[in-house]
Amino acid sequence: MHQNNTIHREERYYRQIVDLANVAIVKFDTKFILNDFTGNAEKVFGYKKEEVLGRSLYETIVPHYESTGRDLVRLIDQLIANIHSYEYNVNENIRKDGKVIWMQWYNSELRDEKNVLTGILSIGVEITDRVMMERALKESEERFKTLSNLTFEGIIIHENGLILDCNLSFERQIGYSRKELIGMQLLEQLIPPGYHVSITNMMKNDSAQYEAEAIHKDGTIIPISIESGKAKIGDREVRVAAIRNISELKKTINELDKYKNHLEEIVVQRTEELKEKSRELKKQNELLQLERNQLRTIIDHIPDIIYIKDTQSRFLNVNQKQVQHFKKKALSEVIGKNDFDFYSKEFAEKYLSNEQEILRKGIPMINMEELSIDENGNQIYLSTTKVPLKDHLGKITGIVGIGRDMTEKIRADNELKIQKMYLEESNHLLGERSEKIEKLNAQLFESNDKLEAANHILQERKEELEATLEQLKMAQTQLIQSEKMASLGILLAGIAHEINNPVNFIYAGVNSMIKDYQDVNAVIREFLKLKKGAQDTDEILDQIAQLTKQLDFNTAHQAIFETMEDIKLGATRIKEIVNGLSRFSRMENEDWKRSDIHDELNSVLVLLKNKYKHHIKIERNYDEDLPEVDCHAGKLNQVFMNIINNAIDAIGENEGTIILQTTYRKGWVYISIRDTGRGIETRDLSRIFDPFFSTKEVGHGLGLGLAISYSIIQEHQGELTVKSSPGKGSEFAVKIPVKH
């Protein structure tokens, strides 16, 4: 009872840790039905646990499609099919209140005791703020690039004179394309030599403004004004330069100088006055240009919405942020239109009412919170300031408005309030847990004494397990030898038939040779009667001639030699079978030694010949340069026997082919055994090397052959793999090193 209470306390303790971890934990089965909803899930999705259990993912927390267009139904189908490819994924989810959020999930599969997939466990963290921030950063970068290309000034970024980037205006001014400009040396290729020293000195300053000349692509010289300063891109210090073609300004000044000289000839007394006005005009132009550049730079880099409207609330001008807010590409798509062209009637009427009141009363509206819709159709909160725009006579001619997106700040404030409440609750829980920890420490000291006693028992169990392991190794060796002898027993009937044929052939040949020898021997005995000086020699020779003709001596003599060749052939066949049996029956304690793979394969084919010789064709695609390998030849021979015997069984009574192929690559020998049999079902491929698993009928094997073969190849530090398709045959591939 005490142990159960401890387990319950620990379970509650770990659940509290999960809750504090601020992660959402959900489980669902293969039909996408939710069966657990714990951790921070209720807080993240707004559902109570009892509201979602037994319901589908798509009815609760998962939309059918993301805002990006991705099909989440198909994504989760793929997740069920291949969990390892989607162990981590990021996707949109939906809260109970309809709000879309982004979650980062860690997924793991759930299997029952039979290793059948029953569902998915997903642990998620909300990353909506991070995703929105990344989107905002990307939009800011695109906005800056667009504004840079729209400005009249040419802008370049360079590092020690090496051009890194430029805008469209600079391409137009200098005649080169951006692709040509990137990588150019500014001083060596675009600036005349006379300006090199002064520009080099200017580059040492944090900021500088000066005039120089540039070389156009067509070779003409262009007067330019340059305003540059230092900037940081990552860890690199670069310079950003704004360049303006002042040819027209120079031309105007020259014309003014000519006009001034002409006036000097006419009215000498006004020369000094005109010079002063000319200097003042130039100074004002420079100040005006500087102010214009500064104002444009400020507006171009402000992340707020800026717009100017007339008295009818029609847009006269907007910044790039406003263009993007309306999901338009160009300023021309906004100018002349009003809010009714971009917002719903409800929003547009509210904006129009506010602006008409400002125009009527002339009182600005400062930092008013407005509800709006962003370019993705999501609700946002804007802090809006609208002031009346007046002409030089003080007449109101329109409205200038600035809107700042405060959505993230409002959300952050709300989140901060929630976290504060959560922290207060956590402090209370920590106090309770401190008391529990003290109690657990006391239990820990008590458990420590028990662990020491348990360690002593474990040491004794370890020694028992080591002894058991040694017995298992011996049993494995006996099992391998038993499987080998079982395979040998299956072959004995066929081998007996194979040996019986040449034995019968030899026996029949010996009988035939004895008969022929008797005929030959009768003639030989007559020859032996011939003695030196015998009187009846002619008579004996006549007798020999008659006997030779009568017994067909020449035919019998020739038949003896032919029969001896046949007997030799039968004896050779018996020798091959005996050698094959000798190779196959080698004991397990044989030493590692060099062996010819081709000899081992051929010996197996000799033993199995009776099973395949009438209906199966054997193709040998042997590598002539295949080296000998270090191996237990008897064990390796057993692997080949099991695989080739299975191939013969797979072909059955049909005609078929078995292809044996060997190759050598970079210290490894590859042996492929391919058949044209019935093949293996896909569902069985993952279990083909399991002990006692067999696709054969009961009584035709114990299912140990391939399991033992797999173990033998692993012992040789090699690999055994299989490829198969039902009805298209199988291929077993063996890979072993040449040197052990």
Side-chain angles (χ1 to χ4, degrees), residues 350-390:
K350 183 177 65 174
Y351 299 155
L352 178 61
S353 175
N354 291 338
E355 291 164 2
Q356 291 301 314
E357 184 176 358
I358 293 171
L359 291 170
R360 186 171 58 257
K361 295 181 179 180
I363 300 175
M365 181 181 70
I366 308 297
N367 293 333
M368 186 183 79
E369 186 177 292
E370 279 189 327
L371 183 63
S372 185
I373 302 294
D374 67 9
E375 55 270 24
N376 296 318
N378 300 320
Q379 286 190 349
I380 60 173
Y381 295 93
L382 296 178
S383 177
T384 303
T385 295
K386 297 181 180 180
V387 298
L389 180 65
K390 299 179 181 180

mmCIF file of all heavy atoms in Angstrom, residues 350-390:
data_model
loop_
_atom_site.group_PDB
_atom_site.id
_atom_site.type_symbol
_atom_site.label_atom_id
_atom_site.label_comp_id
_atom_site.label_asym_id
_atom_site.label_seq_id
_atom_site.Cartn_x
_atom_site.Cartn_y
_atom_site.Cartn_z
ATOM 1 N N LYS A 350 -16.413 53.681 -40.465
ATOM 2 C CA LYS A 350 -15.863 54.169 -39.204
ATOM 3 C C LYS A 350 -14.692 55.126 -39.452
ATOM 4 O O LYS A 350 -14.593 56.192 -38.841
ATOM 5 C CB LYS A 350 -15.410 52.981 -38.349
ATOM 6 C CG LYS A 350 -14.892 53.394 -36.972
ATOM 7 C CD LYS A 350 -14.533 52.190 -36.128
ATOM 8 C CE LYS A 350 -13.365 51.429 -36.744
ATOM 9 N NZ LYS A 350 -12.899 50.332 -35.864
ATOM 10 N N TYR A 351 -13.767 54.728 -40.375
ATOM 11 C CA TYR A 351 -12.626 55.598 -40.688
ATOM 12 C C TYR A 351 -13.107 56.923 -41.279
ATOM 13 O O TYR A 351 -12.593 58.002 -40.942
ATOM 14 C CB TYR A 351 -11.689 54.906 -41.678
ATOM 15 C CG TYR A 351 -11.082 53.620 -41.170
ATOM 16 C CD1 TYR A 351 -10.638 52.624 -42.050
ATOM 17 C CD2 TYR A 351 -10.964 53.371 -39.801
ATOM 18 C CE1 TYR A 351 -10.089 51.444 -41.588
ATOM 19 C CE2 TYR A 351 -10.406 52.189 -39.324
ATOM 20 C CZ TYR A 351 -9.985 51.230 -40.225
ATOM 21 O OH TYR A 351 -9.439 50.065 -39.778
ATOM 22 N N LEU A 352 -14.080 56.873 -42.184
ATOM 23 C CA LEU A 352 -14.585 58.083 -42.840
ATOM 24 C C LEU A 352 -15.207 59.027 -41.816
ATOM 25 O O LEU A 352 -14.997 60.252 -41.854
ATOM 26 C CB LEU A 352 -15.610 57.701 -43.911
ATOM 27 C CG LEU A 352 -16.260 58.862 -44.667
ATOM 28 C CD1 LEU A 352 -15.211 59.667 -45.419
ATOM 29 C CD2 LEU A 352 -17.323 58.354 -45.623
ATOM 30 N N SER A 353 -15.956 58.472 -40.859
ATOM 31 C CA SER A 353 -16.615 59.301 -39.842
ATOM 32 C C SER A 353 -15.583 60.052 -39.004
ATOM 33 O O SER A 353 -15.723 61.253 -38.742
ATOM 34 C CB SER A 353 -17.485 58.416 -38.948
ATOM 35 O OG SER A 353 -18.044 59.162 -37.894
ATOM 36 N N ASN A 354 -14.513 59.334 -38.577
ATOM 37 C CA ASN A 354 -13.461 59.972 -37.780
ATOM 38 C C ASN A 354 -12.797 61.107 -38.547
ATOM 39 O O ASN A 354 -12.542 62.196 -38.011
ATOM 40 C CB ASN A 354 -12.417 58.936 -37.363
ATOM 41 C CG ASN A 354 -12.956 57.933 -36.361
ATOM 42 O OD1 ASN A 354 -13.940 58.208 -35.678
ATOM 43 N ND2 ASN A 354 -12.333 56.768 -36.294
ATOM 44 N N GLU A 355 -12.476 60.854 -39.811
ATOM 45 C CA GLU A 355 -11.741 61.840 -40.610
ATOM 46 C C GLU A 355 -12.605 63.062 -40.917
ATOM 47 O O GLU A 355 -12.113 64.207 -40.934
ATOM 48 C CB GLU A 355 -11.237 61.177 -41.896
ATOM 49 C CG GLU A 355 -10.144 60.144 -41.624
ATOM 50 C CD GLU A 355 -9.896 59.221 -42.798
ATOM 51 O OE1 GLU A 355 -10.553 59.410 -43.849
ATOM 52 O OE2 GLU A 355 -9.063 58.298 -42.663
ATOM 53 N N GLN A 356 -13.886 62.862 -41.186
ATOM 54 C CA GLN A 356 -14.767 64.005 -41.457
ATOM 55 C C GLN A 356 -14.912 64.888 -40.218
ATOM 56 O O GLN A 356 -15.014 66.119 -40.319
ATOM 57 C CB GLN A 356 -16.140 63.505 -41.919
ATOM 58 C CG GLN A 356 -16.127 62.864 -43.301
ATOM 59 C CD GLN A 356 -15.632 63.815 -44.377
ATOM 60 O OE1 GLN A 356 -16.040 64.979 -44.435
ATOM 61 N NE2 GLN A 356 -14.733 63.311 -45.225
ATOM 62 N N GLU A 357 -14.894 64.261 -39.029
ATOM 63 C CA GLU A 357 -14.973 65.049 -37.803
ATOM 64 C C GLU A 357 -13.713 65.889 -37.616
ATOM 65 O O GLU A 357 -13.787 67.054 -37.202
ATOM 66 C CB GLU A 357 -15.169 64.118 -36.603
ATOM 67 C CG GLU A 357 -15.352 64.865 -35.288
ATOM 68 C CD GLU A 357 -15.629 63.922 -34.128
ATOM 69 O OE1 GLU A 357 -15.716 62.706 -34.370
ATOM 70 O OE2 GLU A 357 -15.758 64.411 -32.995
ATOM 71 N N ILE A 358 -12.541 65.314 -37.945
ATOM 72 C CA ILE A 358 -11.282 66.070 -37.855
ATOM 73 C C ILE A 358 -11.301 67.230 -38.835
ATOM 74 O O ILE A 358 -10.887 68.360 -38.509
ATOM 75 C CB ILE A 358 -10.085 65.138 -38.125
ATOM 76 C CG1 ILE A 358 -9.950 64.109 -37.004
ATOM 77 C CG2 ILE A 358 -8.789 65.928 -38.261
ATOM 78 C CD1 ILE A 358 -8.946 63.024 -37.287
ATOM 79 N N LEU A 359 -11.768 66.985 -40.067
ATOM 80 C CA LEU A 359 -11.828 68.048 -41.072
ATOM 81 C C LEU A 359 -12.808 69.148 -40.637
ATOM 82 O O LEU A 359 -12.572 70.340 -40.892
ATOM 83 C CB LEU A 359 -12.261 67.458 -42.418
ATOM 84 C CG LEU A 359 -11.249 66.531 -43.107
ATOM 85 C CD1 LEU A 359 -11.892 65.833 -44.299
ATOM 86 C CD2 LEU A 359 -10.025 67.318 -43.566
ATOM 87 N N ARG A 360 -13.879 68.741 -39.976
ATOM 88 C CA ARG A 360 -14.906 69.719 -39.579
ATOM 89 C C ARG A 360 -14.443 70.562 -38.393
ATOM 90 O O ARG A 360 -14.623 71.779 -38.361
ATOM 91 C CB ARG A 360 -16.203 68.984 -39.246
ATOM 92 C CG ARG A 360 -17.381 69.918 -38.951
ATOM 93 C CD ARG A 360 -18.692 69.158 -38.841
ATOM 94 N NE ARG A 360 -18.666 68.131 -37.812
ATOM 95 C CZ ARG A 360 -18.542 66.829 -38.040
ATOM 96 N NH1 ARG A 360 -18.433 66.373 -39.274
ATOM 97 N NH2 ARG A 360 -18.526 65.960 -37.043
ATOM 98 N N LYS A 361 -13.815 69.915 -37.380
ATOM 99 C CA LYS A 361 -13.429 70.625 -36.164
ATOM 100 C C LYS A 361 -11.987 71.137 -36.206
ATOM 101 O O LYS A 361 -11.629 72.035 -35.441
ATOM 102 C CB LYS A 361 -13.596 69.711 -34.951
ATOM 103 C CG LYS A 361 -15.042 69.314 -34.684
ATOM 104 C CD LYS A 361 -15.130 68.425 -33.460
ATOM 105 C CE LYS A 361 -16.566 68.030 -33.145
ATOM 106 N NZ LYS A 361 -16.641 67.167 -31.938
ATOM 107 N N GLY A 362 -11.146 70.518 -37.071
ATOM 108 C CA GLY A 362 -9.739 70.922 -37.132
ATOM 109 C C GLY A 362 -8.939 70.466 -35.934
ATOM 110 O O GLY A 362 -7.845 70.987 -35.686
ATOM 111 N N ILE A 363 -9.450 69.482 -35.159
ATOM 112 C CA ILE A 363 -8.758 68.990 -33.959
ATOM 113 C C ILE A 363 -8.105 67.643 -34.289
ATOM 114 O O ILE A 363 -8.783 66.720 -34.756
ATOM 115 C CB ILE A 363 -9.752 68.829 -32.795
ATOM 116 C CG1 ILE A 363 -10.401 70.171 -32.467
ATOM 117 C CG2 ILE A 363 -9.045 68.258 -31.561
ATOM 118 C CD1 ILE A 363 -11.491 70.071 -31.418
ATOM 119 N N PRO A 364 -6.788 67.503 -34.046
ATOM 120 C CA PRO A 364 -6.113 66.223 -34.337
ATOM 121 C C PRO A 364 -6.630 65.081 -33.464
ATOM 122 O O PRO A 364 -7.165 65.306 -32.369
ATOM 123 C CB PRO A 364 -4.641 66.514 -34.025
ATOM 124 C CG PRO A 364 -4.530 68.002 -33.990
ATOM 125 C CD PRO A 364 -5.848 68.530 -33.536
ATOM 126 N N MET A 365 -6.458 63.876 -33.955
ATOM 127 C CA MET A 365 -6.764 62.654 -33.201
ATOM 128 C C MET A 365 -5.427 61.976 -32.903
ATOM 129 O O MET A 365 -4.710 61.555 -33.814
ATOM 130 C CB MET A 365 -7.654 61.728 -34.039
ATOM 131 C CG MET A 365 -8.049 60.440 -33.335
ATOM 132 S SD MET A 365 -9.075 59.401 -34.398
ATOM 133 C CE MET A 365 -7.850 58.894 -35.601
ATOM 134 N N ILE A 366 -5.045 61.880 -31.618
ATOM 135 C CA ILE A 366 -3.707 61.429 -31.229
ATOM 136 C C ILE A 366 -3.792 60.045 -30.564
ATOM 137 O O ILE A 366 -4.544 59.847 -29.607
ATOM 138 C CB ILE A 366 -3.038 62.430 -30.261
ATOM 139 C CG1 ILE A 366 -3.085 63.846 -30.826
ATOM 140 C CG2 ILE A 366 -1.604 61.997 -29.967
ATOM 141 C CD1 ILE A 366 -2.327 64.018 -32.125
ATOM 142 N N ASN A 367 -2.989 59.119 -31.087
ATOM 143 C CA ASN A 367 -2.801 57.781 -30.488
ATOM 144 C C ASN A 367 -4.126 57.094 -30.136
ATOM 145 O O ASN A 367 -4.306 56.555 -29.043
ATOM 146 C CB ASN A 367 -1.923 57.856 -29.237
ATOM 147 C CG ASN A 367 -0.499 58.242 -29.567
ATOM 148 O OD1 ASN A 367 -0.022 57.987 -30.663
ATOM 149 N ND2 ASN A 367 0.187 58.881 -28.628
ATOM 150 N N MET A 368 -5.049 57.116 -31.071
ATOM 151 C CA MET A 368 -6.320 56.429 -30.868
ATOM 152 C C MET A 368 -6.185 54.970 -31.313
ATOM 153 O O MET A 368 -5.614 54.686 -32.372
ATOM 154 C CB MET A 368 -7.433 57.113 -31.661
ATOM 155 C CG MET A 368 -8.818 56.520 -31.364
ATOM 156 S SD MET A 368 -10.127 57.269 -32.348
ATOM 157 C CE MET A 368 -9.885 56.425 -33.904
ATOM 158 N N GLU A 369 -6.679 54.046 -30.493
ATOM 159 C CA GLU A 369 -6.586 52.615 -30.838
ATOM 160 C C GLU A 369 -7.688 52.266 -31.831
ATOM 161 O O GLU A 369 -8.870 52.483 -31.567
ATOM 162 C CB GLU A 369 -6.720 51.769 -29.583
ATOM 163 C CG GLU A 369 -6.496 50.278 -29.853
ATOM 164 C CD GLU A 369 -6.551 49.444 -28.579
ATOM 165 O OE1 GLU A 369 -5.639 49.580 -27.738
ATOM 166 O OE2 GLU A 369 -7.527 48.680 -28.434
ATOM 167 N N GLU A 370 -7.271 51.742 -32.985
ATOM 168 C CA GLU A 370 -8.215 51.376 -34.038
ATOM 169 C C GLU A 370 -8.079 49.895 -34.367
ATOM 170 O O GLU A 370 -6.973 49.365 -34.447
ATOM 171 C CB GLU A 370 -7.957 52.184 -35.317
ATOM 172 C CG GLU A 370 -8.528 53.566 -35.314
ATOM 173 C CD GLU A 370 -8.408 54.212 -36.689
ATOM 174 O OE1 GLU A 370 -7.429 53.925 -37.408
ATOM 175 O OE2 GLU A 370 -9.296 54.991 -37.050
ATOM 176 N N LEU A 371 -9.208 49.244 -34.560
ATOM 177 C CA LEU A 371 -9.205 47.855 -35.026
ATOM 178 C C LEU A 371 -9.163 47.861 -36.554
ATOM 179 O O LEU A 371 -9.889 48.599 -37.204
ATOM 180 C CB LEU A 371 -10.460 47.140 -34.547
ATOM 181 C CG LEU A 371 -10.570 45.648 -34.891
ATOM 182 C CD1 LEU A 371 -9.451 44.868 -34.221
ATOM 183 C CD2 LEU A 371 -11.923 45.101 -34.458
ATOM 184 N N SER A 372 -8.236 47.017 -37.135
ATOM 185 C CA SER A 372 -8.096 46.980 -38.591
ATOM 186 C C SER A 372 -7.841 45.547 -39.044
ATOM 187 O O SER A 372 -7.866 44.610 -38.240
ATOM 188 C CB SER A 372 -6.951 47.902 -39.034
ATOM 189 O OG SER A 372 -6.879 47.953 -40.461
ATOM 190 N N ILE A 373 -7.619 45.396 -40.340
ATOM 191 C CA ILE A 373 -7.338 44.083 -40.948
ATOM 192 C C ILE A 373 -6.012 44.186 -41.684
ATOM 193 O O ILE A 373 -5.794 45.129 -42.457
ATOM 194 C CB ILE A 373 -8.447 43.667 -41.939
ATOM 195 C CG1 ILE A 373 -9.804 43.618 -41.242
ATOM 196 C CG2 ILE A 373 -8.132 42.315 -42.572
ATOM 197 C CD1 ILE A 373 -9.936 42.554 -40.195
ATOM 198 N N ASP A 374 -5.073 43.217 -41.440
ATOM 199 C CA ASP A 374 -3.800 43.268 -42.154
ATOM 200 C C ASP A 374 -3.930 42.623 -43.532
ATOM 201 O O ASP A 374 -5.015 42.185 -43.945
ATOM 202 C CB ASP A 374 -2.689 42.597 -41.336
ATOM 203 C CG ASP A 374 -2.895 41.092 -41.189
ATOM 204 O OD1 ASP A 374 -3.800 40.531 -41.851
ATOM 205 O OD2 ASP A 374 -2.145 40.473 -40.411
ATOM 206 N N GLU A 375 -2.783 42.565 -44.261
ATOM 207 C CA GLU A 375 -2.804 42.078 -45.634
ATOM 208 C C GLU A 375 -3.160 40.597 -45.751
ATOM 209 O O GLU A 375 -3.490 40.103 -46.828
ATOM 210 C CB GLU A 375 -1.437 42.301 -46.295
ATOM 211 C CG GLU A 375 -0.255 41.695 -45.557
ATOM 212 C CD GLU A 375 0.348 42.655 -44.545
ATOM 213 O OE1 GLU A 375 -0.376 43.573 -44.081
ATOM 214 O OE2 GLU A 375 1.526 42.497 -44.232
ATOM 215 N N ASN A 376 -3.083 39.845 -44.604
ATOM 216 C CA ASN A 376 -3.432 38.423 -44.609
ATOM 217 C C ASN A 376 -4.851 38.174 -44.124
ATOM 218 O O ASN A 376 -5.266 37.031 -43.965
ATOM 219 C CB ASN A 376 -2.448 37.641 -43.732
ATOM 220 C CG ASN A 376 -1.049 37.689 -44.278
ATOM 221 O OD1 ASN A 376 -0.863 37.561 -45.481
ATOM 222 N ND2 ASN A 376 -0.063 37.896 -43.426
ATOM 223 N N GLY A 377 -5.612 39.278 -43.855
ATOM 224 C CA GLY A 377 -6.990 39.132 -43.415
ATOM 225 C C GLY A 377 -7.136 38.946 -41.914
ATOM 226 O O GLY A 377 -8.225 38.676 -41.423
ATOM 227 N N ASN A 378 -6.017 39.082 -41.141
ATOM 228 C CA ASN A 378 -6.072 38.922 -39.700
ATOM 229 C C ASN A 378 -6.373 40.267 -39.032
ATOM 230 O O ASN A 378 -5.931 41.323 -39.497
ATOM 231 C CB ASN A 378 -4.750 38.368 -39.167
ATOM 232 C CG ASN A 378 -4.430 37.016 -39.769
ATOM 233 O OD1 ASN A 378 -5.310 36.181 -39.933
ATOM 234 N ND2 ASN A 378 -3.167 36.804 -40.105
ATOM 235 N N GLN A 379 -7.094 40.219 -37.906
ATOM 236 C CA GLN A 379 -7.383 41.443 -37.170
ATOM 237 C C GLN A 379 -6.123 41.950 -36.474
ATOM 238 O O GLN A 379 -5.358 41.174 -35.895
ATOM 239 C CB GLN A 379 -8.469 41.192 -36.118
ATOM 240 C CG GLN A 379 -9.874 41.047 -36.697
ATOM 241 C CD GLN A 379 -10.939 41.055 -35.612
ATOM 242 O OE1 GLN A 379 -10.634 40.971 -34.439
ATOM 243 N NE2 GLN A 379 -12.184 41.161 -36.021
ATOM 244 N N ILE A 380 -5.888 43.259 -36.551
ATOM 245 C CA ILE A 380 -4.750 43.879 -35.884
ATOM 246 C C ILE A 380 -5.232 45.134 -35.173
ATOM 247 O O ILE A 380 -6.309 45.672 -35.460
ATOM 248 C CB ILE A 380 -3.630 44.218 -36.886
ATOM 249 C CG1 ILE A 380 -4.138 45.201 -37.954
ATOM 250 C CG2 ILE A 380 -3.051 42.980 -37.524
ATOM 251 C CD1 ILE A 380 -3.033 45.711 -38.872
ATOM 252 N N TYR A 381 -4.419 45.617 -34.232
ATOM 253 C CA TYR A 381 -4.719 46.842 -33.494
ATOM 254 C C TYR A 381 -3.700 47.906 -33.891
ATOM 255 O O TYR A 381 -2.485 47.678 -33.831
ATOM 256 C CB TYR A 381 -4.660 46.597 -31.990
ATOM 257 C CG TYR A 381 -5.726 45.652 -31.503
ATOM 258 C CD1 TYR A 381 -5.471 44.280 -31.383
ATOM 259 C CD2 TYR A 381 -6.990 46.114 -31.166
ATOM 260 C CE1 TYR A 381 -6.447 43.405 -30.941
ATOM 261 C CE2 TYR A 381 -7.974 45.240 -30.728
ATOM 262 C CZ TYR A 381 -7.704 43.893 -30.618
ATOM 263 O OH TYR A 381 -8.671 43.035 -30.186
ATOM 264 N N LEU A 382 -4.194 49.074 -34.322
ATOM 265 C CA LEU A 382 -3.340 50.182 -34.731
ATOM 266 C C LEU A 382 -3.464 51.321 -33.736
ATOM 267 O O LEU A 382 -4.566 51.659 -33.282
ATOM 268 C CB LEU A 382 -3.733 50.690 -36.126
ATOM 269 C CG LEU A 382 -3.563 49.732 -37.301
ATOM 270 C CD1 LEU A 382 -4.059 50.391 -38.577
ATOM 271 C CD2 LEU A 382 -2.113 49.309 -37.448
ATOM 272 N N SER A 383 -2.315 51.916 -33.391
ATOM 273 C CA SER A 383 -2.311 53.168 -32.643
ATOM 274 C C SER A 383 -2.220 54.281 -33.690
ATOM 275 O O SER A 383 -1.169 54.484 -34.294
ATOM 276 C CB SER A 383 -1.124 53.211 -31.678
ATOM 277 O OG SER A 383 -1.086 54.459 -31.018
ATOM 278 N N THR A 384 -3.330 54.996 -33.932
ATOM 279 C CA THR A 384 -3.441 55.906 -35.069
ATOM 280 C C THR A 384 -3.440 57.365 -34.614
ATOM 281 O O THR A 384 -4.106 57.733 -33.637
ATOM 282 C CB THR A 384 -4.733 55.629 -35.849
ATOM 283 O OG1 THR A 384 -4.727 54.268 -36.260
ATOM 284 C CG2 THR A 384 -4.835 56.533 -37.060
ATOM 285 N N THR A 385 -2.649 58.175 -35.351
ATOM 286 C CA THR A 385 -2.651 59.630 -35.164
ATOM 287 C C THR A 385 -3.038 60.276 -36.489
ATOM 288 O O THR A 385 -2.416 59.982 -37.523
ATOM 289 C CB THR A 385 -1.273 60.130 -34.718
ATOM 290 O OG1 THR A 385 -0.985 59.594 -33.421
ATOM 291 C CG2 THR A 385 -1.245 61.657 -34.645
ATOM 292 N N LYS A 386 -4.067 61.136 -36.474
ATOM 293 C CA LYS A 386 -4.504 61.837 -37.681
ATOM 294 C C LYS A 386 -4.568 63.331 -37.367
ATOM 295 O O LYS A 386 -5.163 63.752 -36.368
ATOM 296 C CB LYS A 386 -5.883 61.355 -38.137
ATOM 297 C CG LYS A 386 -5.917 59.880 -38.541
ATOM 298 C CD LYS A 386 -7.303 59.450 -39.001
ATOM 299 C CE LYS A 386 -7.327 57.978 -39.390
ATOM 300 N NZ LYS A 386 -8.665 57.548 -39.844
ATOM 301 N N VAL A 387 -3.911 64.132 -38.220
ATOM 302 C CA VAL A 387 -3.890 65.588 -38.011
ATOM 303 C C VAL A 387 -4.348 66.271 -39.295
ATOM 304 O O VAL A 387 -4.112 65.768 -40.398
ATOM 305 C CB VAL A 387 -2.480 66.071 -37.611
ATOM 306 C CG1 VAL A 387 -2.048 65.453 -36.297
ATOM 307 C CG2 VAL A 387 -1.465 65.726 -38.702
ATOM 308 N N PRO A 388 -5.025 67.434 -39.164
ATOM 309 C CA PRO A 388 -5.449 68.161 -40.372
ATOM 310 C C PRO A 388 -4.248 68.756 -41.102
ATOM 311 O O PRO A 388 -3.287 69.220 -40.485
ATOM 312 C CB PRO A 388 -6.373 69.245 -39.818
ATOM 313 C CG PRO A 388 -5.971 69.411 -38.393
ATOM 314 C CD PRO A 388 -5.494 68.083 -37.925
ATOM 315 N N LEU A 389 -4.287 68.724 -42.436
ATOM 316 C CA LEU A 389 -3.241 69.286 -43.295
ATOM 317 C C LEU A 389 -3.736 70.642 -43.813
ATOM 318 O O LEU A 389 -4.823 70.741 -44.388
ATOM 319 C CB LEU A 389 -2.953 68.329 -44.461
ATOM 320 C CG LEU A 389 -1.883 68.764 -45.451
ATOM 321 C CD1 LEU A 389 -0.518 68.829 -44.776
ATOM 322 C CD2 LEU A 389 -1.830 67.790 -46.629
ATOM 323 N N LYS A 390 -2.924 71.707 -43.604
ATOM 324 C CA LYS A 390 -3.340 73.059 -43.969
ATOM 325 C C LYS A 390 -2.401 73.641 -45.012
ATOM 326 O O LYS A 390 -1.219 73.309 -45.053
ATOM 327 C CB LYS A 390 -3.355 73.954 -42.733
ATOM 328 C CG LYS A 390 -4.316 73.483 -41.654
ATOM 329 C CD LYS A 390 -4.293 74.385 -40.433
ATOM 330 C CE LYS A 390 -5.253 73.893 -39.352
ATOM 331 N NZ LYS A 390 -5.233 74.769 -38.156
#
